[in-house]
Amino acid sequence: MSTLGANCTSYNSGFGTATDVPNINLDGTCYVSDSDRTEQTYDCDRVPDSGGVLSGKRRCNETLPEPVQSCDHPVLGAGNASCTEACASIGRQCTVATLAALNPLVDTVEELGALIVSLGANCTTYVSEWGTGTDVPNIQPDGTCYVSDTDRDSSTYDCDRV
């Protein structure tokens, strides 16, 4: 949306098939499209609702949805969120390729611990035995952090695993 003269400060994917999405509110909230949205849910003539929406600050690609960018940085999901859900909460999409590319940030106790702190949480215990589990890396509610293996095969990643 920055190409429209406005910058997103937060993302909302809760209205992903509304005919006036994508758009941006005055407070910087960007409303993003669902990744599996069908063509019939788009209406390029629809003006975004007046609830603080920047008039004319809308991108419409006629019949093609704007591509969703992959998560290019680690995201700490809420509760038992999958990577898919955590990325969607910031208007991004989880991909196996991105998980593999970010793996060097989470494949040692030190790196994972520092990353978790930077995301606002703390690891109390580290477990390295399950480093190729499809739900690794993760942090449990009790602070247990599961460390990823260094040389993982792409088949060991799963964006939808909780």
Side-chain angles (χ1 to χ4, degrees), residues 47-133:
V47 176
D49 292 330
S50 61
V53 176
L54 293 172
S55 176
K57 300 297 184 187
R58 180 160 184 256
R59 185 171 191 164
C60 194
N61 296 331
E62 298 297 320
T63 59
L64 297 176
E66 191 173 328
V68 177
Q69 294 180 333
S70 64
C71 277
D72 57 359
H73 62 281
V75 178
L76 189 60
N80 283 331
S82 66
C83 290
T84 297
E85 294 163 331
C87 288
S89 74
I90 61 165
R92 300 289 178 120
Q93 182 177 23
C94 178
T95 66
V96 168
T98 300
L99 290 175
L102 295 174
N103 195 60
L105 300 176
V106 294
D107 63 355
T108 68
V109 168
E110 296 79 16
E111 290 167 332
L112 180 59
L115 176 65
I116 295 294
V117 166
S118 76
L119 296 173
N122 289 298
C123 296
T124 57
T125 308
Y126 295 91
V127 177
S128 298
E129 290 81 24
W130 304 100
T132 59

